Amino acid sequence: MKRRFAGCRWAGAVVLAACAAACAAQPAPQQPLPDVSKTSAGAPHRTRLILKDGSYQIVMSYQIKGKIVSYVSAERGEVEELPADLVDWDATHKWEKQHPPADESDAAQQQAPPPAIDPELLKEEADRAALTPEVAPDLKLPELDSVLALDYFQGAPELVPLVQSSGELNHTTGHNILKLALNPHAASHQIVQLKGVESPVQMHVAAPVIYLRVGDDSGISHGGTPLVVDTHGAGSAPGANKDSSGGSADSGYVMVRADVRTDARVLASFNIGALGSTKTQEDVVETASELLPGGHWMKITPKRPLDFGEYALMEVISEKEINLGVWDFGVHPVAPENRDVIKPQPRRPVTLEHRNPE
C-alpha cells in the first residue's frame, strides 16, 4: 500500500515537471507595437523603411528586435518582419529627418481660418464678373457688344449681336439717340423706314430675350459704377445725336412690328400714353425690364409671344419722345442660323498631374 502511494507521488512529480518544461519552452507573448500613425495633433503620419536595394516599405511604426525589424505595414495594416541587415538605416534616418511628423503648431496653422479678403477687392471682383454675366449654361455676355438677343437654334442657346439702325443713323453696335417728338393725339404715320424686306437677324423663338448694356465705356473699362446716359437732359434737343455704348435704365422699351412693303420695312407711330393700360395695340408689344446685378446690363423680355414677322426694339425716352435708332430683327423659326453668333463655351475640367513619389 505504501509502495502504491509512493508511486503515485512520483508520477505526479513527473507530470508537473513536464508541464513546467512545456511552459518554459513557449515564448512570452509579444507586446503590441506602438501606434505612431497619428501625431499629437491627430494628423496621420507615415514613415519609410528604405532598403539597400533602393526600394522602400511604407510603415506606420517599426521596432528593431535583434537582427529582425518588426513593422506595421501602411498598405496592408498587418505586422510584418524583415532582416535588419536589409535596411539602409542611414537613408531611413535621413528621410525621417527630412519628413518630421506635424506637431501641434502645424496643425493649428492648417486649421486656422483663411485670411480675410479686403471688401474693396471683393467688390471689384464682383463688379468685373457683372460685366459678363452668364445668361445660359456656359454662355456669357461679351464685353464688346452693346445689344444682344438670346436665341435658340435647334435647341442650343446662342447670343446674336444686334445693330442699331434707322433712316437717319448709320449701322452701329453702340447706342445712338436721335429723338423724335410724337403727338399722342395725331393719327398714325410713318416714323422709321428700314431698308430690305427682312432683317439680317432672325430669331427662332417667339419670345427672344434681349440684353442691353447700360452705361458708357468709361464705367465698363474700370469695372466701377456705370455712367448712365441721361436721355432727359436739357442738352438733348430734338434731332441731336448722342453716342454711348450703353442705354439708360430710365428709358422704356417696346417691340414694334414692322409693316413689310416693297424693299422696305416701315415702323409707324403709336400711342405712347396707352402703354401700360388695358388697351392693346396690335403692332406694339410691351416688355418687362430687369436690371441685372452690378447695373451693367438690362434684360428685356416681351410680355407676350411674338407672331412671325419683322420687328424692331424701340426705346421710349419719355411720354412724348422716342429714339429713332432701333434694333431690328425678325421671328422665323425655320430661318437659317444667324452669323457671328456667340455659342456656349464649356469650362475645361481641372486636371491633376501625377507626381512620382520621392
Side-chain angles (χ1 to χ4, degrees):
M1 193 72 175
K2 291 180 180 181
R3 290 179 180 177
R4 184 179 299 176
F5 179 74
C8 291
R9 286 194 304 172
W10 180 83
V14 172
V15 172
L16 291 176
C19 292
C23 292
Q26 293 181 358
Q30 296 182 0
Q31 296 295 327
L33 297 177
D35 183 9
V36 294
S37 61
K38 293 184 178 180
T39 62
S40 56
H45 174 63
R46 298 183 180 187
T47 188
R48 293 181 181 182
L49 285 177
I50 302 178
L51 307 183
K52 293 180 179 180
D53 61 358
S55 62
Y56 59 86
Q57 289 285 339
I58 302 177
V59 302
M60 307 303 294
S61 62
Y62 66 89
Q63 286 183 343
I64 303 175
K65 298 181 179 180
K67 297 182 179 182
I68 299 297
V69 179
S70 181
Y71 61 90
V72 178
S73 173
E75 299 177 355
R76 293 171 291 279
E78 299 177 356
V79 178
E80 300 177 359
E81 294 180 345
L82 58 81
D85 57 0
L86 296 181
V87 180
D88 187 343
W89 293 110
D90 292 337
T92 297
H93 296 325
K94 181 179 179 181
W95 194 93
E96 290 175 346
K97 290 180 180 180
Q98 294 175 348
H99 302 80
D103 54 13
E104 296 287 348
S105 60
D106 293 337
Q109 293 178 0
Q110 295 175 1
Q111 296 177 1
I117 302 178
D118 188 352
E120 291 294 331
L121 295 178
L122 290 176
K123 182 180 180 302
E124 291 180 4
E125 182 63 26
D127 203 51
R128 282 193 295 268
L131 291 175
T132 57
E134 189 175 63
V135 297
D138 299 325
L139 184 61
K140 292 185 177 182
L141 293 173
E143 294 188 13
L144 299 179
D145 297 305
S146 295
V147 182
L148 301 102
L150 178 60
D151 187 30
Y152 285 83
F153 180 72
Q154 296 180 352
E158 297 178 341
L159 284 172
V160 186
L162 300 180
V163 296
Q164 189 181 25
S165 61
S166 76
E168 292 80 8
L169 296 176
N170 296 325
H171 284 68
T172 176
T173 57
H175 180 246
N176 288 325
I177 296 178
L178 185 62
K179 291 184 178 181
L180 175 67
L182 294 179
N183 183 1
H185 303 290
S188 177
H189 61 281
Q190 175 180 323
I191 54 176
V192 178
Q193 180 173 320
L194 302 174
K195 296 180 180 180
V197 296
E198 66 177 15
S199 170
V201 175
Q202 296 294 321
M203 299 290 103
H204 301 86
V205 292
V209 179
I210 296 179
Y211 294 91
L212 174 70
R213 188 185 293 278
V214 179
D216 61 13
D217 289 335
S218 62
I220 294 171
S221 60
H222 294 289
T225 303
L227 301 178
V228 178
V229 178
D230 185 5
T231 57
H232 305 285
S236 300
N241 192 356
K242 193 171 184 180
D243 292 332
S244 173
S245 63
S248 171
D250 299 328
S251 299
Y253 295 89
V254 292
M255 295 181 181
V256 183
R257 184 165 186 172
D259 182 11
V260 180
R261 300 179 184 179
T262 304
D263 298 330
R265 288 160 290 150
V266 175
L267 303 179
S269 62
F270 53 92
N271 189 353
I272 298 178
L275 295 178
S277 65
T278 56
K279 180 180 178 181
T280 301
Q281 301 187 64
E282 183 178 355
D283 293 334
V284 179
V285 179
E286 297 186 55
T287 65
S289 300
E290 174 189 356
L291 196 62
L292 299 185
H296 299 292
W297 289 92
M298 180 181 293
K299 178 181 179 181
I300 302 174
T301 307
K303 290 187 176 181
R304 58 182 173 87
L306 305 180
D307 297 328
F308 299 164
E310 296 296 317
Y311 293 84
L313 177 68
M314 180 173 289
E315 181 180 10
V316 180
I317 299 174
S318 68
E319 293 182 356
K320 297 181 180 180
E321 285 183 315
I322 61 172
N323 183 7
L324 289 179
V326 300
W327 295 270
D328 58 303
F329 63 92
V331 177
H332 292 92
V334 297
E337 185 178 16
N338 292 295
R339 299 179 56 185
D340 302 326
V341 298
I342 302 174
K343 298 186 177 183
Q345 297 181 355
R347 299 179 181 89
R348 295 182 179 180
V350 179
T351 57
L352 300 178
E353 296 182 355
H354 178 72
R355 299 183 62 183
N356 296 325
E358 298 180 1

